[in-house]
Amino acid sequence: MKTTLNTAIPSQIETECLVVPVLDTAESKNGDKSAKPEPRLQTGDKTVIAAAADLIASGEVTGKMLETTLLHKPAGLKAKRLLLIGGGKAKAFTSAELRKLAGAAVRNLKVKDLKSFAFVAPNLRSGAEDAAKSIVEGAFVGNFEPDYYKSDRKEQKIVELVIVAPKGNEKSLKAAMEQGRIIGEAQNFTRDLANEPSNKMTPTILGERAKKMSDEVGLHCEVYGPDKLHELKMGAFWSVSQGSDEEPRLIVMRYEPKGAPEKPVLGLVGKGITFDTGGISIKPAEGMEKMKYDMAGGAAMIGAMRAIAQLKPNVRVIGIVCASENMPSGKAQKPGDIQIAMSGKSIEVINTDAEGRLVLADGLHYAKQLGATHLIDAATLTGAVVVALGMVNAGIFANNDEFYESFNRSLKKSGEKMWRMPVDDEYRELLKSNIADMMNIGGRWGGAVTAAMFLKEFVGDTPWIHLDIAGVAWMEDAKPWIAKGPSGTPVRSLVEFVQDMGSGDK
């Protein structure tokens, strides 16, 4: 999708459709939420305001979040259509809502076979540049469709987006739009990887896709097979892959900008289970087809590295993806087996469906060996986090408050929703084994926490964040701003954080 900037008066722009956000400026008093809406168009162009005046006066337009009203041949405008799209309460309006508005505008207009539109950038407290960036990010996410294997698929796509903004800071606005494009494309790249079925996205193919991407954007990438796992003594990782005819792949991507300080070095580690049957502890048949996206954490790390290479922050980053299938066979590990992780710790495998933590255990330890001073992992790790947080928030776990607070500041800018969960020492007791250093599960209660506690054993004192994205990596239903299917979470947050690290805000 081509993105351009136009600083002309909105009513004078020739376009298939002019999109203008509408916010409800009514203020509730004493907690009374029944106040009559006071919708206000987010533009100072009196011609646009006049064109929508009758709709506003009728009460048809309220400014409610994602409310859309399309007006054909708007009076006085050179645009063929005027789309008013609600952004909710003015006081609560941020870049997160603006991204959704941009995505909703794309999805609303492309089904009408429109190929281009102009979006009037509203004033944000975070600045005009953040508004332009957010609109572009949201538009790219809204433009993605996962149905490309349909033989009768109708190509409906916006090919050009025009950002309408006042004159005066064109250079910085264009730079912000370019950032939005890079991040939006990285999120869609991640979604594309996660969307592929397991016969089209084996560990080998995932490694090939990562290598091809790395070559295109200038990352150094190495992809290893079983021999390397054995050489490194990655017994936990290998134990998951040993039941499959598909070979595992250890994917290592390095971003090492010239002149960057030796430290910090951020290690991004992703779970890349390209299909998860549960192994010998096999899953129920219902819903198992969705386990093609059990590599969403690994896909997010590949997508994040793609954006990092293009945005060029001044910080060193290592991306590691442990890619494997988890299959039952005569070669598969069995409940009760003892595995020795790369760190030397022994693990009693109680449930072979708790495999993600096994591959991450070796991935996290290897990232430390390669020089990572800070660690973030992402994984569709537990159903328990979905029980706890539903499909709204990812679970975030951290062993270092300062590192968490730094990430949380970036999280507020990214707009992705995450909720911090505990990693108190008392939970470690639930992983005790009679015959090994630990078990790979901790029983029924606190499953997301005990999974995080398992990973914590392999990071030591290294500042570490674990993102359990099981509830948010896949959209169970289409939303006005995003298609049903892979979400691309947490690419945006990771990229924001790396940029902040590169600027010294860590």
Side-chain angles (χ1 to χ4, degrees), residues 422-476:
V423 281
D424 299 336
D425 287 342
E426 289 88 339
Y427 292 103
R428 175 65 178 81
E429 296 296 311
L430 299 174
L431 293 171
K432 279 191 172 180
S433 166
N434 289 329
I435 60 172
D437 293 329
M438 70 189 82
M439 300 185 295
N440 75 324
I441 61 169
R444 180 179 180 185
W445 309 116
V449 179
T450 53
M453 292 300 297
F454 180 91
L455 297 179
K456 187 181 177 187
E457 292 294 307
F458 298 90
V459 300
D461 295 330
T462 304
W464 158 77
I465 286 172
H466 162 54
L467 305 177
D468 193 336
I469 60 171
V472 297
W474 191 267
M475 307 296 295
E476 291 293 336

Side-chain angles (χ1 to χ4, degrees), residues 8-13 18 41-51 76-77 120:
I9 298 171
S11 59
Q12 298 304 304
I13 295 175
L18 183 71
L41 274 65
Q42 297 304 290
T43 176
D45 188 336
K46 293 180 180 179
T47 305
V48 176
I49 294 171
L77 274 63
V120 178

